[in-house]
Amino acid sequence: MSETSHTESTSLTSGVYIAAFIILFIILAVFGDLFTFILGTIGLVVTFAAFYSDKSHDAAHH
C-alpha cells in the first residue's frame, strides 16, 4: 500500500464563489419556471451568505 500525504486545502478566491453564484443563477433563470426561480434564488442567496459569514468568522479569529 502506498502512503498518501494529506495537504491542507487552500481556500478559493472570492471571484470563484461569485462566478459559481452567477452561473447557478443563470441556470435557474434559463431552465426554471417562476416558482423554481424564486425559491432557487432565495436558496442560493442564503447558502452563499451563510458560507461567506462562516469564512469571514474563521478569518477574524486566525
Side-chain angles (χ1 to χ4, degrees):
M1 282 194 211
S2 63
E3 270 188 53
T4 57
S5 62
H6 297 285
T7 59
E8 285 188 30
S9 61
T10 58
S11 58
L12 299 173
T13 62
S14 60
V16 174
Y17 294 116
I18 293 170
F21 179 83
I22 291 172
I23 290 169
L24 291 172
F25 186 77
I26 290 171
I27 290 172
L28 273 174
V30 171
F31 295 110
D33 59 354
L34 183 62
F35 182 72
T36 305
F37 177 72
I38 291 170
L39 288 182
T41 302
I42 292 170
L44 270 176
V45 168
V46 168
T47 302
F48 277 82
F51 180 75
Y52 177 76
S53 66
D54 286 347
K55 286 294 182 185
S56 63
H57 181 72
D58 290 342
H61 289 287
H62 285 108

